[in-house]
PDB file of all heavy atoms in Angstrom:
ATOM      1  N   ARG V  31     115.832 110.155  22.759  1.00  0.00           N
ATOM      2  CA  ARG V  31     115.513 108.864  22.178  1.00  0.00           C
ATOM      3  C   ARG V  31     116.587 107.821  22.538  1.00  0.00           C
ATOM      4  O   ARG V  31     117.762 108.169  22.647  1.00  0.00           O
ATOM      5  CB  ARG V  31     115.425 108.957  20.646  1.00  0.00           C
ATOM      6  CG  ARG V  31     114.249 109.850  20.189  1.00  0.00           C
ATOM      7  CD  ARG V  31     114.295 110.116  18.718  1.00  0.00           C
ATOM      8  NE  ARG V  31     114.209 108.960  17.857  1.00  0.00           N
ATOM      9  CZ  ARG V  31     113.038 108.337  17.568  1.00  0.00           C
ATOM     10  NH1 ARG V  31     111.902 108.820  17.961  1.00  0.00           N
ATOM     11  NH2 ARG V  31     113.021 107.258  16.747  1.00  0.00           N
ATOM     12  N   PHE V  32     116.190 106.607  22.753  1.00  0.00           N
ATOM     13  CA  PHE V  32     117.112 105.558  23.083  1.00  0.00           C
ATOM     14  C   PHE V  32     117.072 104.490  22.005  1.00  0.00           C
ATOM     15  O   PHE V  32     116.000 103.939  21.728  1.00  0.00           O
ATOM     16  CB  PHE V  32     116.853 104.876  24.443  1.00  0.00           C
ATOM     17  CG  PHE V  32     117.837 103.767  24.686  1.00  0.00           C
ATOM     18  CD1 PHE V  32     119.094 104.063  25.243  1.00  0.00           C
ATOM     19  CD2 PHE V  32     117.548 102.504  24.346  1.00  0.00           C
ATOM     20  CE1 PHE V  32     120.039 103.058  25.431  1.00  0.00           C
ATOM     21  CE2 PHE V  32     118.464 101.448  24.506  1.00  0.00           C
ATOM     22  CZ  PHE V  32     119.670 101.716  25.142  1.00  0.00           C
ATOM     23  N   PRO V  33     118.160 104.130  21.453  1.00  0.00           N
ATOM     24  CA  PRO V  33     119.527 104.744  21.645  1.00  0.00           C
ATOM     25  C   PRO V  33     119.756 105.893  20.681  1.00  0.00           C
ATOM     26  O   PRO V  33     119.205 105.880  19.568  1.00  0.00           O
ATOM     27  CB  PRO V  33     120.458 103.562  21.339  1.00  0.00           C
ATOM     28  CG  PRO V  33     119.759 102.760  20.282  1.00  0.00           C
ATOM     29  CD  PRO V  33     118.302 102.952  20.609  1.00  0.00           C
ATOM     30  N   PRO V  34     120.577 106.825  21.111  1.00  0.00           N
ATOM     31  CA  PRO V  34     120.872 107.973  20.190  1.00  0.00           C
ATOM     32  C   PRO V  34     121.800 107.572  19.019  1.00  0.00           C
ATOM     33  O   PRO V  34     121.871 108.194  18.036  1.00  0.00           O
ATOM     34  CB  PRO V  34     121.551 108.957  21.113  1.00  0.00           C
ATOM     35  CG  PRO V  34     122.132 108.149  22.154  1.00  0.00           C
ATOM     36  CD  PRO V  34     121.253 106.980  22.377  1.00  0.00           C
ATOM     37  N   HIS V  35     122.534 106.414  19.193  1.00  0.00           N
ATOM     38  CA  HIS V  35     123.441 105.891  18.259  1.00  0.00           C
ATOM     39  C   HIS V  35     123.533 104.417  18.491  1.00  0.00           C
ATOM     40  O   HIS V  35     123.106 103.917  19.571  1.00  0.00           O
ATOM     41  CB  HIS V  35     124.792 106.558  18.407  1.00  0.00           C
ATOM     42  CG  HIS V  35     125.309 106.570  19.809  1.00  0.00           C
ATOM     43  ND1 HIS V  35     125.835 105.426  20.405  1.00  0.00           N
ATOM     44  CD2 HIS V  35     125.311 107.524  20.740  1.00  0.00           C
ATOM     45  CE1 HIS V  35     126.211 105.725  21.669  1.00  0.00           C
ATOM     46  NE2 HIS V  35     125.860 106.981  21.914  1.00  0.00           N
ATOM     47  N   PRO V  36     124.117 103.645  17.576  1.00  0.00           N
ATOM     48  CA  PRO V  36     124.216 102.188  17.878  1.00  0.00           C
ATOM     49  C   PRO V  36     125.068 101.905  19.115  1.00  0.00           C
ATOM     50  O   PRO V  36     126.069 102.567  19.361  1.00  0.00           O
ATOM     51  CB  PRO V  36     124.965 101.656  16.610  1.00  0.00           C
ATOM     52  CG  PRO V  36     124.653 102.665  15.551  1.00  0.00           C
ATOM     53  CD  PRO V  36     124.588 103.974  16.243  1.00  0.00           C
ATOM     54  N   ILE V  37     124.612 100.987  19.899  1.00  0.00           N
ATOM     55  CA  ILE V  37     125.349 100.506  21.085  1.00  0.00           C
ATOM     56  C   ILE V  37     125.524  99.033  20.898  1.00  0.00           C
ATOM     57  O   ILE V  37     124.565  98.245  20.997  1.00  0.00           O
ATOM     58  CB  ILE V  37     124.604 100.831  22.376  1.00  0.00           C
ATOM     59  CG1 ILE V  37     124.350 102.319  22.474  1.00  0.00           C
ATOM     60  CG2 ILE V  37     125.338 100.293  23.601  1.00  0.00           C
ATOM     61  CD1 ILE V  37     123.446 102.732  23.697  1.00  0.00           C
ATOM     62  N   ARG V  38     126.750  98.606  20.526  1.00  0.00           N
ATOM     63  CA  ARG V  38     126.967  97.238  20.097  1.00  0.00           C
ATOM     64  C   ARG V  38     127.783  96.490  21.174  1.00  0.00           C
ATOM     65  O   ARG V  38     128.516  97.074  21.913  1.00  0.00           O
ATOM     66  CB  ARG V  38     127.666  97.248  18.779  1.00  0.00           C
ATOM     67  CG  ARG V  38     126.763  97.807  17.641  1.00  0.00           C
ATOM     68  CD  ARG V  38     127.334  97.507  16.284  1.00  0.00           C
ATOM     69  NE  ARG V  38     126.378  97.994  15.279  1.00  0.00           N
ATOM     70  CZ  ARG V  38     126.524  99.135  14.635  1.00  0.00           C
ATOM     71  NH1 ARG V  38     127.610  99.913  14.819  1.00  0.00           N
ATOM     72  NH2 ARG V  38     125.625  99.500  13.721  1.00  0.00           N
ATOM     73  N   GLY V  39     127.592  95.193  21.152  1.00  0.00           N
ATOM     74  CA  GLY V  39     128.432  94.311  21.973  1.00  0.00           C
ATOM     75  C   GLY V  39     128.097  94.429  23.460  1.00  0.00           C
ATOM     76  O   GLY V  39     128.996  94.295  24.278  1.00  0.00           O
ATOM     77  N   VAL V  40     126.877  94.599  23.826  1.00  0.00           N
ATOM     78  CA  VAL V  40     126.463  94.629  25.236  1.00  0.00           C
ATOM     79  C   VAL V  40     126.409  93.210  25.729  1.00  0.00           C
ATOM     80  O   VAL V  40     125.497  92.459  25.357  1.00  0.00           O
ATOM     81  CB  VAL V  40     125.176  95.390  25.455  1.00  0.00           C
ATOM     82  CG1 VAL V  40     124.815  95.437  26.921  1.00  0.00           C
ATOM     83  CG2 VAL V  40     125.235  96.804  24.886  1.00  0.00           C
ATOM     84  N   ARG V  41     127.361  92.826  26.512  1.00  0.00           N
ATOM     85  CA  ARG V  41     127.498  91.415  26.988  1.00  0.00           C
ATOM     86  C   ARG V  41     127.189  91.340  28.485  1.00  0.00           C
ATOM     87  O   ARG V  41     127.721  92.145  29.252  1.00  0.00           O
ATOM     88  CB  ARG V  41     128.837  90.938  26.698  1.00  0.00           C
ATOM     89  CG  ARG V  41     129.012  89.475  27.069  1.00  0.00           C
ATOM     90  CD  ARG V  41     130.478  88.977  26.606  1.00  0.00           C
ATOM     91  NE  ARG V  41     130.660  87.634  27.072  1.00  0.00           N
ATOM     92  CZ  ARG V  41     131.291  87.316  28.186  1.00  0.00           C
ATOM     93  NH1 ARG V  41     131.858  88.271  28.921  1.00  0.00           N
ATOM     94  NH2 ARG V  41     131.443  86.082  28.561  1.00  0.00           N
ATOM     95  N   VAL V  42     126.322  90.362  28.829  1.00  0.00           N
ATOM     96  CA  VAL V  42     125.938  90.146  30.222  1.00  0.00           C
ATOM     97  C   VAL V  42     126.061  88.712  30.547  1.00  0.00           C
ATOM     98  O   VAL V  42     125.567  87.842  29.803  1.00  0.00           O
ATOM     99  CB  VAL V  42     124.544  90.659  30.482  1.00  0.00           C
ATOM    100  CG1 VAL V  42     124.000  90.206  31.847  1.00  0.00           C
ATOM    101  CG2 VAL V  42     124.413  92.132  30.306  1.00  0.00           C
ATOM    102  N   LEU V  43     126.676  88.361  31.696  1.00  0.00           N
ATOM    103  CA  LEU V  43     126.659  87.062  32.256  1.00  0.00           C
ATOM    104  C   LEU V  43     125.875  87.157  33.576  1.00  0.00           C
ATOM    105  O   LEU V  43     126.354  87.826  34.507  1.00  0.00           O
ATOM    106  CB  LEU V  43     128.055  86.546  32.468  1.00  0.00           C
ATOM    107  CG  LEU V  43     128.181  85.207  33.287  1.00  0.00           C
ATOM    108  CD1 LEU V  43     127.511  84.086  32.570  1.00  0.00           C
ATOM    109  CD2 LEU V  43     129.625  84.936  33.519  1.00  0.00           C
ATOM    110  N   HIS V  44     124.754  86.477  33.631  1.00  0.00           N
ATOM    111  CA  HIS V  44     123.992  86.408  34.874  1.00  0.00           C
ATOM    112  C   HIS V  44     124.118  85.017  35.412  1.00  0.00           C
ATOM    113  O   HIS V  44     123.684  84.058  34.779  1.00  0.00           O
ATOM    114  CB  HIS V  44     122.501  86.783  34.658  1.00  0.00           C
ATOM    115  CG  HIS V  44     121.671  86.522  35.838  1.00  0.00           C
ATOM    116  ND1 HIS V  44     121.820  87.188  37.020  1.00  0.00           N
ATOM    117  CD2 HIS V  44     120.667  85.601  36.037  1.00  0.00           C
ATOM    118  CE1 HIS V  44     120.942  86.718  37.904  1.00  0.00           C
ATOM    119  NE2 HIS V  44     120.212  85.749  37.311  1.00  0.00           N
ATOM    120  N   GLN V  45     124.691  84.926  36.616  1.00  0.00           N
ATOM    121  CA  GLN V  45     124.966  83.603  37.168  1.00  0.00           C
ATOM    122  C   GLN V  45     124.793  83.696  38.683  1.00  0.00           C
ATOM    123  O   GLN V  45     125.399  84.526  39.362  1.00  0.00           O
ATOM    124  CB  GLN V  45     126.371  83.177  36.822  1.00  0.00           C
ATOM    125  CG  GLN V  45     126.722  81.792  37.289  1.00  0.00           C
ATOM    126  CD  GLN V  45     128.063  81.347  36.698  1.00  0.00           C
ATOM    127  OE1 GLN V  45     128.805  82.136  36.109  1.00  0.00           O
ATOM    128  NE2 GLN V  45     128.379  80.076  36.810  1.00  0.00           N
ATOM    129  N   LYS V  46     123.926  82.823  39.220  1.00  0.00           N
ATOM    130  CA  LYS V  46     123.709  82.717  40.711  1.00  0.00           C
ATOM    131  C   LYS V  46     123.847  81.227  41.013  1.00  0.00           C
ATOM    132  O   LYS V  46     123.244  80.389  40.345  1.00  0.00           O
ATOM    133  CB  LYS V  46     122.328  83.190  41.085  1.00  0.00           C
ATOM    134  CG  LYS V  46     122.202  84.625  41.295  1.00  0.00           C
ATOM    135  CD  LYS V  46     120.787  85.015  41.677  1.00  0.00           C
ATOM    136  CE  LYS V  46     120.335  84.489  43.048  1.00  0.00           C
ATOM    137  NZ  LYS V  46     119.060  84.925  43.453  1.00  0.00           N
ATOM    138  N   GLN V  47     124.634  80.936  42.006  1.00  0.00           N
ATOM    139  CA  GLN V  47     124.820  79.562  42.423  1.00  0.00           C
ATOM    140  C   GLN V  47     124.237  79.402  43.831  1.00  0.00           C
ATOM    141  O   GLN V  47     124.846  79.897  44.805  1.00  0.00           O
ATOM    142  CB  GLN V  47     126.302  79.161  42.386  1.00  0.00           C
ATOM    143  CG  GLN V  47     126.825  79.246  40.978  1.00  0.00           C
ATOM    144  CD  GLN V  47     128.320  78.865  40.954  1.00  0.00           C
ATOM    145  OE1 GLN V  47     129.013  78.892  41.898  1.00  0.00           O
ATOM    146  NE2 GLN V  47     128.777  78.548  39.759  1.00  0.00           N
ATOM    147  N   ASN V  48     123.116  78.814  43.928  1.00  0.00           N
ATOM    148  CA  ASN V  48     122.503  78.481  45.198  1.00  0.00           C
ATOM    149  C   ASN V  48     121.543  77.301  44.992  1.00  0.00           C
ATOM    150  O   ASN V  48     121.674  76.602  44.004  1.00  0.00           O
ATOM    151  CB  ASN V  48     121.756  79.718  45.802  1.00  0.00           C
ATOM    152  CG  ASN V  48     120.748  80.282  44.865  1.00  0.00           C
ATOM    153  OD1 ASN V  48     120.257  79.606  43.969  1.00  0.00           O
ATOM    154  ND2 ASN V  48     120.395  81.573  45.030  1.00  0.00           N
ATOM    155  N   CYS V  49     120.542  77.109  45.850  1.00  0.00           N
ATOM    156  CA  CYS V  49     119.670  75.982  45.701  1.00  0.00           C
ATOM    157  C   CYS V  49     118.750  76.154  44.468  1.00  0.00           C
ATOM    158  O   CYS V  49     118.164  75.150  43.975  1.00  0.00           O
ATOM    159  CB  CYS V  49     118.844  75.772  46.989  1.00  0.00           C
ATOM    160  SG  CYS V  49     117.907  77.178  47.436  1.00  0.00           S
ATOM    161  N   ALA V  50     118.638  77.313  43.978  1.00  0.00           N
ATOM    162  CA  ALA V  50     117.891  77.567  42.711  1.00  0.00           C
ATOM    163  C   ALA V  50     118.853  78.304  41.724  1.00  0.00           C
ATOM    164  O   ALA V  50     118.738  79.544  41.599  1.00  0.00           O
ATOM    165  CB  ALA V  50     116.672  78.393  42.967  1.00  0.00           C
ATOM    166  N   PRO V  51     119.768  77.561  41.078  1.00  0.00           N
ATOM    167  CA  PRO V  51     120.771  78.274  40.274  1.00  0.00           C
ATOM    168  C   PRO V  51     120.140  78.997  39.101  1.00  0.00           C
ATOM    169  O   PRO V  51     119.068  78.581  38.634  1.00  0.00           O
ATOM    170  CB  PRO V  51     121.681  77.142  39.835  1.00  0.00           C
ATOM    171  CG  PRO V  51     120.875  75.889  39.940  1.00  0.00           C
ATOM    172  CD  PRO V  51     119.906  76.120  41.081  1.00  0.00           C
ATOM    173  N   GLN V  52     120.883  80.004  38.644  1.00  0.00           N
ATOM    174  CA  GLN V  52     120.477  80.796  37.459  1.00  0.00           C
ATOM    175  C   GLN V  52     121.664  80.991  36.580  1.00  0.00           C
ATOM    176  O   GLN V  52     122.743  81.306  37.094  1.00  0.00           O
ATOM    177  CB  GLN V  52     119.914  82.138  37.888  1.00  0.00           C
ATOM    178  CG  GLN V  52     118.571  82.030  38.678  1.00  0.00           C
ATOM    179  CD  GLN V  52     118.040  83.390  39.003  1.00  0.00           C
ATOM    180  OE1 GLN V  52     118.464  84.426  38.516  1.00  0.00           O
ATOM    181  NE2 GLN V  52     117.017  83.380  39.881  1.00  0.00           N
ATOM    182  N   PHE V  53     121.479  80.817  35.272  1.00  0.00           N
ATOM    183  CA  PHE V  53     122.551  81.031  34.351  1.00  0.00           C
ATOM    184  C   PHE V  53     121.996  81.546  32.997  1.00  0.00           C
ATOM    185  O   PHE V  53     121.125  80.871  32.426  1.00  0.00           O
ATOM    186  CB  PHE V  53     123.374  79.755  34.057  1.00  0.00           C
ATOM    187  CG  PHE V  53     124.554  79.985  33.115  1.00  0.00           C
ATOM    188  CD1 PHE V  53     125.793  80.371  33.635  1.00  0.00           C
ATOM    189  CD2 PHE V  53     124.362  79.890  31.779  1.00  0.00           C
ATOM    190  CE1 PHE V  53     126.836  80.619  32.755  1.00  0.00           C
ATOM    191  CE2 PHE V  53     125.442  80.206  30.891  1.00  0.00           C
ATOM    192  CZ  PHE V  53     126.637  80.520  31.362  1.00  0.00           C
ATOM    193  N   ALA V  54     122.526  82.629  32.544  1.00  0.00           N
ATOM    194  CA  ALA V  54     122.194  83.162  31.204  1.00  0.00           C
ATOM    195  C   ALA V  54     123.323  84.086  30.790  1.00  0.00           C
ATOM    196  O   ALA V  54     123.724  84.937  31.586  1.00  0.00           O
ATOM    197  CB  ALA V  54     120.928  83.864  31.186  1.00  0.00           C
ATOM    198  N   GLU V  55     123.793  83.917  29.611  1.00  0.00           N
ATOM    199  CA  GLU V  55     124.756  84.848  28.988  1.00  0.00           C
ATOM    200  C   GLU V  55     124.225  85.278  27.659  1.00  0.00           C
ATOM    201  O   GLU V  55     123.843  84.437  26.838  1.00  0.00           O
ATOM    202  CB  GLU V  55     126.107  84.163  28.857  1.00  0.00           C
ATOM    203  CG  GLU V  55     127.186  85.067  28.348  1.00  0.00           C
ATOM    204  CD  GLU V  55     128.591  84.485  28.295  1.00  0.00           C
ATOM    205  OE1 GLU V  55     128.692  83.255  28.546  1.00  0.00           O
ATOM    206  OE2 GLU V  55     129.523  85.254  28.042  1.00  0.00           O
ATOM    207  N   ILE V  56     124.196  86.581  27.480  1.00  0.00           N
ATOM    208  CA  ILE V  56     123.719  87.143  26.184  1.00  0.00           C
ATOM    209  C   ILE V  56     124.617  88.281  25.779  1.00  0.00           C
ATOM    210  O   ILE V  56     125.304  88.893  26.582  1.00  0.00           O
ATOM    211  CB  ILE V  56     122.288  87.613  26.257  1.00  0.00           C
ATOM    212  CG1 ILE V  56     122.090  88.771  27.280  1.00  0.00           C
ATOM    213  CG2 ILE V  56     121.298  86.510  26.562  1.00  0.00           C
ATOM    214  CD1 ILE V  56     120.708  89.414  27.239  1.00  0.00           C
ATOM    215  N   GLU V  57     124.670  88.488  24.486  1.00  0.00           N
ATOM    216  CA  GLU V  57     125.335  89.680  23.901  1.00  0.00           C
ATOM    217  C   GLU V  57     124.350  90.277  22.900  1.00  0.00           C
ATOM    218  O   GLU V  57     123.832  89.537  21.990  1.00  0.00           O
ATOM    219  CB  GLU V  57     126.628  89.296  23.228  1.00  0.00           C
ATOM    220  CG  GLU V  57     127.322  90.560  22.674  1.00  0.00           C
ATOM    221  CD  GLU V  57     128.686  90.222  22.082  1.00  0.00           C
ATOM    222  OE1 GLU V  57     129.380  89.384  22.631  1.00  0.00           O
ATOM    223  OE2 GLU V  57     129.000  90.835  21.035  1.00  0.00           O
ATOM    224  N   VAL V  58     124.035  91.552  23.074  1.00  0.00           N
ATOM    225  CA  VAL V  58     123.026  92.172  22.206  1.00  0.00           C
ATOM    226  C   VAL V  58     123.578  93.508  21.656  1.00  0.00           C
ATOM    227  O   VAL V  58     124.457  94.132  22.230  1.00  0.00           O
ATOM    228  CB  VAL V  58     121.716  92.446  22.959  1.00  0.00           C
ATOM    229  CG1 VAL V  58     120.985  91.158  23.266  1.00  0.00           C
ATOM    230  CG2 VAL V  58     121.950  93.238  24.237  1.00  0.00           C
ATOM    231  N   ASP V  59     123.050  93.916  20.526  1.00  0.00           N
ATOM    232  CA  ASP V  59     123.260  95.176  19.903  1.00  0.00           C
ATOM    233  C   ASP V  59     122.000  95.985  19.986  1.00  0.00           C
ATOM    234  O   ASP V  59     120.927  95.442  19.738  1.00  0.00           O
ATOM    235  CB  ASP V  59     123.691  95.040  18.442  1.00  0.00           C
ATOM    236  CG  ASP V  59     125.020  94.348  18.219  1.00  0.00           C
ATOM    237  OD1 ASP V  59     125.814  94.249  19.146  1.00  0.00           O
ATOM    238  OD2 ASP V  59     125.243  93.884  17.087  1.00  0.00           O
ATOM    239  N   PHE V  60     122.131  97.287  20.291  1.00  0.00           N
ATOM    240  CA  PHE V  60     120.957  98.188  20.288  1.00  0.00           C
ATOM    241  C   PHE V  60     121.200  99.117  19.088  1.00  0.00           C
ATOM    242  O   PHE V  60     122.153  99.850  19.042  1.00  0.00           O
ATOM    243  CB  PHE V  60     120.942  99.034  21.556  1.00  0.00           C
ATOM    244  CG  PHE V  60     120.600  98.180  22.811  1.00  0.00           C
ATOM    245  CD1 PHE V  60     121.569  97.444  23.417  1.00  0.00           C
ATOM    246  CD2 PHE V  60     119.311  98.152  23.308  1.00  0.00           C
ATOM    247  CE1 PHE V  60     121.310  96.698  24.535  1.00  0.00           C
ATOM    248  CE2 PHE V  60     119.053  97.364  24.456  1.00  0.00           C
ATOM    249  CZ  PHE V  60     120.034  96.658  25.067  1.00  0.00           C
ATOM    250  N   GLU V  61     120.191  99.120  18.152  1.00  0.00           N
ATOM    251  CA  GLU V  61     120.290  99.942  16.990  1.00  0.00           C
ATOM    252  C   GLU V  61     119.128 100.936  17.021  1.00  0.00           C
ATOM    253  O   GLU V  61     118.008 100.586  17.424  1.00  0.00           O
ATOM    254  CB  GLU V  61     120.175  99.091  15.694  1.00  0.00           C
ATOM    255  CG  GLU V  61     121.160  97.970  15.607  1.00  0.00           C
ATOM    256  CD  GLU V  61     122.533  98.459  15.205  1.00  0.00           C
ATOM    257  OE1 GLU V  61     122.703  99.610  14.704  1.00  0.00           O
ATOM    258  OE2 GLU V  61     123.503  97.687  15.380  1.00  0.00           O
ATOM    259  N   PRO V  62     119.392 102.196  16.612  1.00  0.00           N
ATOM    260  CA  PRO V  62     118.284 103.175  16.528  1.00  0.00           C
ATOM    261  C   PRO V  62     117.213 102.683  15.547  1.00  0.00           C
ATOM    262  O   PRO V  62     117.537 102.048  14.560  1.00  0.00           O
ATOM    263  CB  PRO V  62     118.954 104.456  16.054  1.00  0.00           C
ATOM    264  CG  PRO V  62     120.395 104.266  16.371  1.00  0.00           C
ATOM    265  CD  PRO V  62     120.680 102.786  16.249  1.00  0.00           C
ATOM    266  N   ALA V  63     115.980 103.009  15.869  1.00  0.00           N
ATOM    267  CA  ALA V  63     114.852 102.624  14.997  1.00  0.00           C
ATOM    268  C   ALA V  63     113.914 103.787  14.908  1.00  0.00           C
ATOM    269  O   ALA V  63     114.075 104.808  15.666  1.00  0.00           O
ATOM    270  CB  ALA V  63     114.096 101.425  15.634  1.00  0.00           C
ATOM    271  N   ALA V  64     112.981 103.745  14.019  1.00  0.00           N
ATOM    272  CA  ALA V  64     112.026 104.839  13.828  1.00  0.00           C
ATOM    273  C   ALA V  64     111.189 105.068  15.081  1.00  0.00           C
ATOM    274  O   ALA V  64     110.996 106.264  15.493  1.00  0.00           O
ATOM    275  CB  ALA V  64     111.130 104.570  12.634  1.00  0.00           C
ATOM    276  N   GLU V  65     110.741 103.972  15.675  1.00  0.00           N
ATOM    277  CA  GLU V  65     109.961 104.080  16.896  1.00  0.00           C
ATOM    278  C   GLU V  65     109.782 102.703  17.548  1.00  0.00           C
ATOM    279  O   GLU V  65     109.961 101.680  16.925  1.00  0.00           O
ATOM    280  CB  GLU V  65     108.579 104.681  16.629  1.00  0.00           C
ATOM    281  CG  GLU V  65     107.719 103.843  15.730  1.00  0.00           C
ATOM    282  CD  GLU V  65     106.366 104.454  15.417  1.00  0.00           C
ATOM    283  OE1 GLU V  65     106.120 105.610  15.798  1.00  0.00           O
ATOM    284  OE2 GLU V  65     105.562 103.796  14.751  1.00  0.00           O
ATOM    285  N   GLY V  66     109.434 102.691  18.794  1.00  0.00           N
ATOM    286  CA  GLY V  66     109.072 101.443  19.469  1.00  0.00           C
ATOM    287  C   GLY V  66     110.208 100.531  19.834  1.00  0.00           C
ATOM    288  O   GLY V  66     111.389 100.895  19.815  1.00  0.00           O
ATOM    289  N   PHE V  67     109.883  99.268  20.088  1.00  0.00           N
ATOM    290  CA  PHE V  67     110.820  98.246  20.494  1.00  0.00           C
ATOM    291  C   PHE V  67     110.670  97.054  19.562  1.00  0.00           C
ATOM    292  O   PHE V  67     109.575  96.528  19.435  1.00  0.00           O
ATOM    293  CB  PHE V  67     110.567  97.806  21.947  1.00  0.00           C
ATOM    294  CG  PHE V  67     111.463  96.743  22.416  1.00  0.00           C
ATOM    295  CD1 PHE V  67     112.749  97.035  22.967  1.00  0.00           C
ATOM    296  CD2 PHE V  67     111.054  95.419  22.404  1.00  0.00           C
ATOM    297  CE1 PHE V  67     113.589  95.991  23.387  1.00  0.00           C
ATOM    298  CE2 PHE V  67     111.859  94.385  22.857  1.00  0.00           C
ATOM    299  CZ  PHE V  67     113.122  94.673  23.351  1.00  0.00           C
ATOM    300  N   ALA V  68     111.771  96.580  19.022  1.00  0.00           N
ATOM    301  CA  ALA V  68     111.800  95.377  18.244  1.00  0.00           C
ATOM    302  C   ALA V  68     112.989  94.491  18.667  1.00  0.00           C
ATOM    303  O   ALA V  68     114.020  95.017  19.017  1.00  0.00           O
ATOM    304  CB  ALA V  68     111.904  95.711  16.790  1.00  0.00           C
ATOM    305  N   PHE V  69     112.725  93.182  18.712  1.00  0.00           N
ATOM    306  CA  PHE V  69     113.735  92.242  19.134  1.00  0.00           C
ATOM    307  C   PHE V  69     113.892  91.164  18.111  1.00  0.00           C
ATOM    308  O   PHE V  69     112.870  90.636  17.617  1.00  0.00           O
ATOM    309  CB  PHE V  69     113.411  91.623  20.532  1.00  0.00           C
ATOM    310  CG  PHE V  69     114.433  90.682  21.063  1.00  0.00           C
ATOM    311  CD1 PHE V  69     115.465  91.171  21.849  1.00  0.00           C
ATOM    312  CD2 PHE V  69     114.348  89.333  20.835  1.00  0.00           C
ATOM    313  CE1 PHE V  69     116.407  90.294  22.367  1.00  0.00           C
ATOM    314  CE2 PHE V  69     115.225  88.423  21.320  1.00  0.00           C
ATOM    315  CZ  PHE V  69     116.308  88.889  22.085  1.00  0.00           C
ATOM    316  N   GLU V  70     115.134  90.835  17.773  1.00  0.00           N
ATOM    317  CA  GLU V  70     115.306  89.752  16.783  1.00  0.00           C
ATOM    318  C   GLU V  70     116.554  88.977  17.216  1.00  0.00           C
ATOM    319  O   GLU V  70     117.469  89.439  17.889  1.00  0.00           O
ATOM    320  CB  GLU V  70     115.423  90.228  15.356  1.00  0.00           C
ATOM    321  CG  GLU V  70     116.597  91.105  15.139  1.00  0.00           C
ATOM    322  CD  GLU V  70     116.582  91.692  13.707  1.00  0.00           C
ATOM    323  OE1 GLU V  70     115.664  92.454  13.388  1.00  0.00           O
ATOM    324  OE2 GLU V  70     117.490  91.332  12.926  1.00  0.00           O
ATOM    325  N   VAL V  71     116.581  87.728  16.751  1.00  0.00           N
ATOM    326  CA  VAL V  71     117.714  86.833  17.005  1.00  0.00           C
ATOM    327  C   VAL V  71     118.466  86.795  15.705  1.00  0.00           C
ATOM    328  O   VAL V  71     117.908  86.579  14.606  1.00  0.00           O
ATOM    329  CB  VAL V  71     117.212  85.445  17.404  1.00  0.00           C
ATOM    330  CG1 VAL V  71     118.362  84.447  17.606  1.00  0.00           C
ATOM    331  CG2 VAL V  71     116.395  85.484  18.692  1.00  0.00           C
TER     332      VAL V  71
END
């Protein structure tokens, strides 16, 4: 099962600098749940 235990503070910076720039920075926690996928802010 994923995750087998809490996985906290997963931080990602996605940045591309070209003619079509991309920028997103997020930090998320993954908590075990009974089933399925849930996302919240």
Side-chain angles (χ1 to χ4, degrees):
R31 293 171 62 84
F32 178 85
H35 51 78
I37 301 173
R38 296 193 176 101
V40 178
R41 184 174 173 263
V42 170
L43 171 62
H44 171 64
Q45 186 171 9
K46 276 179 66 176
Q47 296 177 344
N48 57 21
C49 59
Q52 296 182 10
F53 181 91
E55 184 175 8
I56 61 172
E57 183 177 322
V58 290
D59 294 342
F60 292 81
E61 303 285 343
E65 64 182 3
F67 177 85
F69 181 88
E70 65 186 63
V71 177

